[in-house]
Amino acid sequence: MPATVLIGLGWGDEGKGRIIDFLAPQHDYVVRFNGGPNAGHTVKVNSRIFRFHLLPSGMLYPDKTCVIANGVVLDIDTMRRELDEVKSSQEKHAQLFVSDRCHLILPYHKMLDLAEEKVRGKRKLGTTGQGIGPVFADKVARKGIRVCELYDPVYLKDKLENILQEKNKILTLIFGENPLKLEEVYEKLLRDAEFLRPFVTDTLILLQKAYREGKSILLEGAQGALLDHELGTYPFVTSTSPMAGMVSLGCGLGPHQIDRIMGVVKAYATRVGTGPFPTELKEEIGQYLRDRGGEYGTTTGRPRRCGWFDVPAIKYVIYPNSPDELVLTKLDVLSGLEELKVCVGYRFESRLIEGLPAFAEAFDRVEPIYETLPGWREDISQARKPQDLPKGALEYIKFLEQALGKRISLVSVGPAREQMIALE
Ligand code: GDP
Ligand code: IMO
Ligand code: MG
């Protein structure tokens, strides 16, 4: 398979990182094409846990090539930290390339992200505080600074001076923050430029060459489709697209060059940050899932909200992503629950609706319709083939396949590499 895209179909944190780590051995390239350091992808190898925010989750394999493509916004300090962590744990790792077109997260982006959250008050989005909204706003407003601009110091200083005039006014006059000093920001960027230099290339050309040579490419989505700013639960979304279609824009492989689309769903629903969540469980069972699933944010450490599997929400984003198959993660977390509920429809103002309300506030008037399935008691973390799973778990998988109209090809039953079941 030359090019496979793997994306999340929920509100993020579906377990994409560990699935990428699992699939990486069968591929030559692992590529990030969207998002930025708001992503937190966990990979567990033996007892060591890696949390990748910017580096592709194939970094631990020395024979792979990893790419941070143009669609990713770069925080150079985060990248440096992650690279140091990988280097400290193993002598050899994947070769890394960074696109010369990546936009840079600068100090004012993070400051504005936090300041804007503060003024939103009760309408805050619960962002990760990484500067994502402001950096993508600058990108479309054509005010961004890209990696390639770092290598023309005279141009860079002039542009930065111009940008800081505006940003400092906003920071001081609107948000009451301290202004940023041109020299400090500029000097740091020059140092960053030298750190980045060995990695920088035109990654579109790199990937097209790899494609021509028949190399297999694994595309690692960040966030989840329900956080998409076009079709997700706007405005409680992120500022980049987590959809499969983002691949073309985010790394330059065309739609016809994609052979396989895999969608990752968690065996229950989670969401970190604010926003609609019709199947949220605020009491005991929600806490049970949080504890058993270790549902605390990889980037921020915030407790994740937990709830029952939401078929209408996932189905809504299955349409625009058209996955060939699904991967079901964290099935082991459901062990021990007497019965499981799955939301199979929404009632809105006493009527059954197809799809999701466009207006986030209207989700308050959504009443989930549940089907109840029998649970299972057994610990399934040692299961390695379908026959090892109890009847309840197999029925749950079958039920989801039917409700979503998609085949589930892989099921994970724990965070470690080997805790995976391939379904026929
Ligand atoms: P990502 O952002 O989609 O890569 O997901 P995160 O890494 O943010 O969150 C997934 C969390 O669940 C991580 O802590 C993983 O180690 C863990 N995890 C992944 N798959 C499984 C699984 O099948 N079972 C259990 N118990 N944990 C898992
Ligand atoms: P991974 O790749 C879960 C959420 C934030 C917030 C909203 C906007 O690990 O699945 P932002 O900082 O992007 O402006 O925040 O989006 N969010 C995520 N939630 N997993 C992620 O990434 C997320 N990236 C952003 O919590 O609600
Ligand atoms: Mg995550």
Side-chain angles (χ1 to χ4, degrees), residues 231-251:
L231 296 167
T233 50
Y234 190 90
F236 302 96
V237 292
T238 187
S239 300
T240 162
S241 178
M243 298 280 195
M246 180 61 199
V247 166
S248 317
L249 302 173
C251 79

Side-chain angles (χ1 to χ4, degrees), residues 13 40-41 298 304:
D13 303 328
H41 295 179
T298 311
R304 293 176 185 149

